[in-house]
């Protein structure tokens, strides 16, 4: 029953966030706190010696960057620069901070997905400031400006929880045993974050007043990228790392990309892509959790 509640809560998070968007949107300022707490729970239980890059991590990093370039360039050739900008945000986004939480719930290799998350976000911080001047029409905004925007969010999303976890492990080594006991609390924090992200995205979309004609191509593009990421990652990592690779290519750091897409230099309409991606990749997460439950039942595993 607990597994079904997880999937139900993920769907309810969107409904609550969408319905109460005006009331909950201001809470977006607290998202870094929620992300820090969530990742601290994951990080304190990790054995840092297991965080070793493998050839599969290299493949995942190449796929993420190449997919961003290909979707962007394809839309540019089609004469749709705004669509190209939005698809780049969706496709090139690094692995989400919540991916280790989901992989942990799926009883997967948390060390592998955490390494993928750290590497992808580090590479994103280097490559994206180089790409953004081509992706967005922002005269006068240079590499350093883009770099500061990206690094600010990366430090909040990754640096803070890593530092706090390190201090906790040094001061009180037994804290690494807390992680399994706090797994459900981590999920609860993630659901709250998801509700707030949904509210913030909905509130911004309502204020934009765009027509369906403007929105549907971008929403469809986000859905295609999401589906290809989850399915392609599952195929790429089959059989031993199927869920981990699926999460790495499908579960994106939309909080980071929404922050970038919401900057003054970005095209407002392009914000819609990562905003819809939040919905799509979390629906995929709910499906993946349900499928994992069925496999566990077939194997006679009660977790």
């Amino acid at each position: 029953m607990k597994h079904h509640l997880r999937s139900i809560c993920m769907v309810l998070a969107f409904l609550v966030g969408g319905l109460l968007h005006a009331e909950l949107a201001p809470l977006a300022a607290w998202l870094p706190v929620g992300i820090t707490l969530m990742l601290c729970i994951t990080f304190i239980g990790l054995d840092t010696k297991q965080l070793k890059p493998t050839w599969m991590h290299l493949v995942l990093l190449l796929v993420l960057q190449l997919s961003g370039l290909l979707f962007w360039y394809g839309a540019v050739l089609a004469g749709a620069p705004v669509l190209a900008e939005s698809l780049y945000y969706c496709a090139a986004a690094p692995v989400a901070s919540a991916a280790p939480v989901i992989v942990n719930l799926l009883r997967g290799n948390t060390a592998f997905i955490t390494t993928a998350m750290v590497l992808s976000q580090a590479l994103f911080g280097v490559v994206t400031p180089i790409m953004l001047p081509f992706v967005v029409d922002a005269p006068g905004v240079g590499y350093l400006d883009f770099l500061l925007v990206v690094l600010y969010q990366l430090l909040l999303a990754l640096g803070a929880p890593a530092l706090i976890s390190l201090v906790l492990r040094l001061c009180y080594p037994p804290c690494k045993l807390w992680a399994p006991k706090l797994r459900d609390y981590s999920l609860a924090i993630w659901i709250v974050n998801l509700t707030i992200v949904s509210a913030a995205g909905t509130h911004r979309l309502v204020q934009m007043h765009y027509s369906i004609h403007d929105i549907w191509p971008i929403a469809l593009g986000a859905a295609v990228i999401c589906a290809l990421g989850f399915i392609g990652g599952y195929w790429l990592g089959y059989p031993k790392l199927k869920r981990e690779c699926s999460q790495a290519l499908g579960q994106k750091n939309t909080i980071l990309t929404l922050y970038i897409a919401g900057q003054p230099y970005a095209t407002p309409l392009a914000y819609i892509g990562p905003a819809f991606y939040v919905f799509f990749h979390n629906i995929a997460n709910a499906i993946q959790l349900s499928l994992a439950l069925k496999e566990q039942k077939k194997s006679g595993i009660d977790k």
Side-chain angles (χ1 to χ4, degrees):
M1 183 61 184
K2 182 188 291 188
H3 297 269
H4 292 299
L5 284 175
R6 290 168 178 167
S7 299
I8 292 171
C9 285
M10 291 167 66
V11 177
L12 286 177
F14 286 105
L15 294 177
V16 174
L19 292 173
L20 302 177
H21 63 88
E23 293 79 8
L24 296 178
L27 296 177
W30 290 92
L31 281 172
V33 177
I35 294 172
T36 298
L37 290 173
M38 183 179 66
L39 279 181
C40 279
I41 293 173
T42 300
F43 286 171
I44 59 175
L46 283 176
D47 183 358
T48 54
K49 295 179 181 179
Q50 296 178 349
L51 300 180
K52 297 179 180 179
T54 65
W55 67 270
M56 182 59 78
H57 287 112
L58 177 60
V59 172
L60 292 174
L61 293 177
L62 287 174
V63 171
L64 284 173
Q65 292 303 317
L66 289 177
S67 62
L69 291 173
L70 289 174
F71 276 102
W72 167 74
Y73 191 61
V76 168
L77 290 179
V82 177
L83 175 63
E85 180 182 344
S86 190
L87 294 186
Y88 178 80
Y89 295 144
C90 294
V95 180
S97 300
V101 177
I102 296 298
V103 170
N104 192 24
L105 292 172
L106 295 171
R107 304 310 193 262
N109 189 332
T110 309
F112 177 89
I113 190 64
T114 302
T115 303
M117 178 191 70
V118 172
L119 292 176
S120 68
Q121 296 199 20
L123 183 62
F124 185 84
V126 174
V127 175
T128 303
I130 298 174
M131 280 298 301
L132 284 179
F134 301 97
V135 174
V136 302
D137 183 15
V141 182
Y143 175 81
L144 182 59
D145 300 295
F146 288 124
L147 181 63
L148 292 175
V149 169
V150 175
L151 288 183
Y152 172 74
Q153 275 297 306
L154 288 179
L155 287 174
L156 284 180
L158 190 60
L163 180 60
I164 293 172
S165 300
L166 177 61
V167 172
L168 282 173
R169 288 174 66 103
L170 290 175
C171 296
Y172 187 68
C175 72
K176 61 184 179 181
L177 301 177
W178 296 349
K181 300 177 182 178
L182 296 176
R183 182 181 291 119
D184 287 335
Y185 291 98
S186 181
L187 176 66
I189 295 170
W190 180 53
I191 293 297
V192 172
N193 285 348
L194 186 58
T195 304
I196 296 173
V197 171
S198 175
T202 302
H203 193 61
R204 186 178 176 104
L205 289 177
V206 169
Q207 292 179 323
M208 286 181 176
H209 301 295
Y210 285 116
S211 67
I212 296 297
H213 177 75
D214 295 320
I215 293 175
W216 79 261
I218 297 177
L220 178 61
V224 170
I225 292 172
C226 183
L228 289 176
F230 276 101
I231 296 172
Y234 189 92
W235 173 82
L236 184 65
Y238 190 86
K240 295 183 178 181
L241 294 170
K242 56 186 180 181
R243 290 171 183 158
E244 291 83 353
C245 290
S246 180
Q247 281 290 309
L249 295 183
Q251 174 94 321
K252 302 294 183 69
N253 191 335
T254 47
I255 292 178
L256 174 60
T257 50
L258 284 171
Y259 176 79
I260 294 173
Q263 295 299 307
Y265 58 72
T267 307
L269 183 57
Y271 183 92
I272 291 175
F276 271 94
Y277 199 97
V278 175
F279 173 76
F280 295 135
H281 79 170
N282 283 291
I283 291 299
N285 281 332
I287 295 172
Q288 198 167 40
L289 286 169
S290 297
L291 292 175
L293 173 60
K294 290 182 180 180
E295 288 188 15
Q296 291 171 11
K297 286 184 175 180
K298 287 181 180 179
S299 302
I301 301 174
D302 184 12
K303 296 184 180 179

